[in-house]
C-alpha cells in the first residue's frame, strides 16, 4: 500500500503544480469587454433555434433593440412549436433550415445557413437562452480588429442553491483544466476554448473557409470550431463578457447534470491522452481532497488544495448574477462533478434536441481533417421532422 500511496502523492503534487500554474494566469488575464452601444460596422445576429418558443423572446427583444444590430436572423431548425411565428412577430428575419443532410449536427447546419443569409460582414451568433445587453454587439465588433474569431464568456443565472453549487463545481473543472477566461496569450490550437453561446467573426472569411462544414459532425461544436480555425492560422479569442451577457442554461440541477455534463468532457474534440490527463488533474486536485476530508484523513497537501478551491469560489463570484450559498458550498460537490466528467468521457452522449447522431471516432485528429477521410457521420434517427413552416422574411 505504501508504494501506491507514494505514487498517488507524487501524482497529486504534479497535478497541483499544473493547477496552480493555470490559475496564476488569472492575474494577467485580458480585461472584460466594456459596452459599446454603436459599432463602426453594422452587425448581423444569427440565432439557431429548435423548439425555443418558451425561451427565445428576451434574447430577440434585446438583440433587435441594440443600436449596432442591423438585422436578427433566426434559423428555425425544424421546430414543432411556435418559434418561427414568435420570431417573425417580434421583427426577426426567419430562415427555415433545409432538411438536415447526412454527416451534419443540426446547430452547425443552421448556423451555416444563417451566415449565408446575413447582409453584414460582422456576424454575431447567439443561443436562444442568452440575454445580451445592448452594448455587447459593438464591443464584439470592435474585437474583430484583433481576432478572427472571438467568443464571450457570460454571467450565469442559476435557479436555487443546489443548481448553483453543481454549476460552480462543473465550472471549476473547466478552470482547473484550461485556466480562466481571457488568457493573456493564446493557447495552442489543441487546447483552445470557446463558448458557442456567443461568437463573433467576419462573414466573408467564415464563408470562404466554410468553417461550420469543417466541424459538421462535432457535438462540441464551439470548441471544435475554435481549435480547427486556430490550427489554420486564425487568431481566436475567448473574452469575459459577464457584464454584457447573461445565460440561464438549465431549469434544474437535474437538467444541468444531464445536459452540461454531457458536453463538459469535450470528448469528441480531445485526444485520449489529454482526456486522461484532464481527469487525473480534476480527481487528484479537486475530488480527492474533499473525499479525504470527509473520511477525516486529509493530508497537508489536501488542505492546501481545499484552500485553493475555496479561493476559486471567490474568484467565480463575478460569473453569477446572484452568487450565494450554492457557490460557497460548491467545493463539496467536486467529487460528483469529477464522477460526471468521467462518466461522460467513458460513455459520450450523441443525442441532442430529439436527434441521435452516429458515433464519431478520432477525437484527437487534426481539425483540418475533421470531416474528411471519406467517412460520413450521419444522423441515426431524427425522431420525425415536422413539416417545414412557411419562410418568413428569408432571402
Amino acid at each position: 500500500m505504501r508504494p501506491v500511496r507514494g505514487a498517488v502523492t507524487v501524482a497529486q503534487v504534479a497535478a497541483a503544480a499544473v493547477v496552480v500554474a493555470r490559475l496564476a494566469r488569472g492575474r494577467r488575464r485580458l480585461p472584460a469587454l466594456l459596452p459599446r452601444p454603436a459599432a463602426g460596422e453594422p452587425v448581423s445576429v444569427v440565432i439557431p433555434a429548435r423548439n425555443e418558443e418558451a425561451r427565445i423572446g428576451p434574447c430577440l427583444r434585446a438583440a433587435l433593440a441594440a443600436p449596432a444590430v442591423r438585422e436578427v436572423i433566426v434559423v428555425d431548425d425544424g421546430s414543432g412549436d411556435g418559434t418561427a411565428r414568435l420570431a417573425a412577430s417580434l421583427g426577426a428575419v426567419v430562415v427555415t433550415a433545409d432538411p438536415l443532410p447526412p454527416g451534419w449536427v443540426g446547430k452547425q447546419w443552421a448556423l451555416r445557413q444563417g451566415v449565408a443569409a446575413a447582409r453584414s460582414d460582422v456576424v454575431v451568433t447567439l443561443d436562444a437562452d442568452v440575454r445580451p445587453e445592448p452594448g455587447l454587439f459593438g464591443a464584439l465588433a470592435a474585437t474583430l480588429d484583433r481576432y478572427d474569431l472571438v467568443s464571450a464568456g457570460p454571467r450565469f443565472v442559476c435557479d436555487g442553491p443546489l443548481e448553483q453549487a453543481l454549476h460552480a463545481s462543473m465550472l471549476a473543472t473547466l478552470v482547473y483544466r484550461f485556466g480562466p477566461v481571457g488568457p493573456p496569450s493564446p493557447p495552442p490550437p489543441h487546447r483552445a476554448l470557446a463558448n458557442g453561446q456567443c461568437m463573433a467573426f467576419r462573414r466573408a472569411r467564415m464563408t470562404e473557409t466554410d468553417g461550420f462544414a469543417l466541424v459538421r459532425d462535432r457535438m462540441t461544436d464551439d470548441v471544435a470550431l475554435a481549435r480547427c480555425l486556430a490550427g489554420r492560422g486564425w487568431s481566436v479569442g475567448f473574452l469575459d463578457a459577464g457584464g454584457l451577457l447573461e445565460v440561464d442554461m438549465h431549469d434544474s440541477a437535474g437538467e444541468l447534470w444531464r445536459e452540461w455534463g454531457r458536453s463538459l468532457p469535450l470528448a469528441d474534440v480531445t485526444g485520449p491522452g489529454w482526456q486522461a490527463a484532464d481527469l487525473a488533474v480534476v480527481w487528484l486536485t479537486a475530488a480527492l481532497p474533499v473525499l479525504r476530508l470527509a473520511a477525516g484523513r486529509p493530508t497537508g497537501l489536501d488542505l492546501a488544495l481545499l484552500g485553493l478551491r475555496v479561493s476559486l469560489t471567490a474568484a467565480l463570484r463575478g460569473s453569477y448574477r446572484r452568487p450565494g450559498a450554492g457557490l460557497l458550498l460548491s467545493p463539496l460537490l467536486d467529487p460528483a462533478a469529477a464522477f460526471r466528467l468521467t462518466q461522460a468521457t467513458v460513455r459520450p452522449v450523441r443525442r441532442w434536441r430529439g436527434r441521435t447522431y452516429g458515433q464519431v471516432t478520432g477525437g484527437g485528429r487534426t481539425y483540418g481533417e475533421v470531416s474528411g477521410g471519406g467517412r460520413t457521420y450521419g444522423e441515426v434517427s431524427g425522431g420525425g421532422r415536422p413539416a417545414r413552416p412557411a419562410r418568413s422574411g428569408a432571402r
Side-chain angles (χ1 to χ4, degrees):
M1 290 296 293
R2 286 184 179 179
V4 173
R5 289 177 184 172
V8 171
T9 299
V10 170
Q12 190 180 35
V13 169
V18 169
V19 168
V20 169
R22 289 172 179 167
L23 294 180
R25 300 174 197 161
R27 299 177 182 175
R28 299 177 290 116
R29 70 187 191 126
L30 299 176
L33 288 177
L34 297 176
R36 292 186 60 159
E41 303 174 66
V43 174
S44 290
V45 175
V46 174
I47 304 173
R50 180 175 170 86
N51 297 326
E52 297 284 7
E53 181 182 13
R55 298 197 295 178
I56 199 172
C59 178
L60 284 175
R61 293 184 183 93
L64 288 163
V69 172
R70 178 183 188 180
E71 61 183 352
V72 176
I73 299 169
V74 173
V75 184
D76 181 42
D77 184 21
S79 298
D81 62 5
T83 296
R85 181 174 59 254
L86 174 62
S89 71
L90 293 175
V93 175
V94 177
V95 173
T96 303
D98 291 331
L100 188 68
W104 283 82
V105 170
K107 184 176 181 180
Q108 290 92 293
W109 179 239
L111 285 170
R112 189 181 191 228
Q113 293 173 85
V115 171
R119 293 182 293 166
S120 303
D121 191 43
V122 175
V123 175
V124 172
T125 67
L126 297 177
D127 280 1
D129 56 3
V130 303
R131 308 291 181 263
E133 292 293 324
L136 172 71
F137 302 99
L140 287 171
T143 67
L144 297 180
D145 292 336
R146 294 173 287 153
Y147 299 105
D148 301 309
L149 174 73
V150 64
S151 65
R155 185 167 53 192
F156 300 100
V157 178
C158 294
D159 303 317
L162 179 58
E163 183 182 334
Q164 186 174 84
L166 182 58
H167 188 283
S169 183
M170 289 183 166
L171 182 61
T173 70
L174 283 173
V175 178
Y176 272 32
R177 287 181 285 159
F178 299 100
V181 173
S185 57
H190 69 281
R191 296 295 284 176
L193 273 188
N195 175 32
Q197 295 166 330
C198 178
M199 305 184 82
F201 48 83
R202 292 195 174 277
R203 175 181 174 274
R205 190 168 186 196
M206 184 64 75
T207 302
E208 178 185 9
T209 305
D210 206 0
F212 295 110
L214 294 175
V215 297
R216 64 179 69 128
D217 57 357
R218 301 289 125 170
M219 297 297 290
T220 320
D221 58 283
D222 47 4
V223 178
L225 183 67
R227 293 182 180 183
C228 173
L229 298 181
R232 289 173 168 237
W234 285 45
S235 175
V236 175
F238 186 19
L239 303 178
D240 179 8
L244 301 175
L245 184 69
E246 289 186 351
V247 59
D248 188 352
M249 294 172 60
H250 304 102
D251 295 330
S252 67
E255 184 181 318
L256 174 66
W257 176 268
R258 292 190 305 273
E259 301 301 344
W260 200 25
R262 169 190 62 83
S263 60
L264 201 62
L266 314 180
D268 67 343
V269 295
T270 306
W274 274 109
Q275 288 184 41
D278 287 342
L279 284 174
V281 162
V282 171
W283 275 106
L284 290 168
T285 63
L288 184 58
V290 176
L291 293 173
R292 283 180 171 164
L293 181 67
R297 298 166 58 184
T299 66
L301 180 56
D302 290 330
L303 294 175
L305 286 168
L306 288 167
L308 185 68
R309 178 63 176 85
V310 170
S311 70
L312 179 61
T313 65
L316 291 178
R317 284 185 60 84
S319 298
Y320 294 92
R321 185 172 73 182
R322 292 186 298 270
L327 180 59
L328 295 175
L329 295 173
S330 65
L332 300 179
L333 295 185
D334 285 355
F339 171 79
R340 185 66 179 108
L341 189 67
T342 305
Q343 182 186 46
T345 299
V346 174
R347 300 181 62 184
V349 177
R350 289 187 61 81
R351 181 171 178 80
W352 183 243
R353 294 298 172 95
R355 292 173 173 145
T356 300
Y357 300 95
Q359 293 297 319
V360 176
T361 59
R365 69 179 183 268
T366 304
Y367 271 89
E369 310 280 338
V370 71
S371 298
R375 292 190 292 271
T376 300
Y377 303 109
E379 184 178 349
V380 177
S381 63
R385 288 177 65 91
R388 293 171 61 192
R391 188 178 298 263
S392 173
R395 294 177 301 283

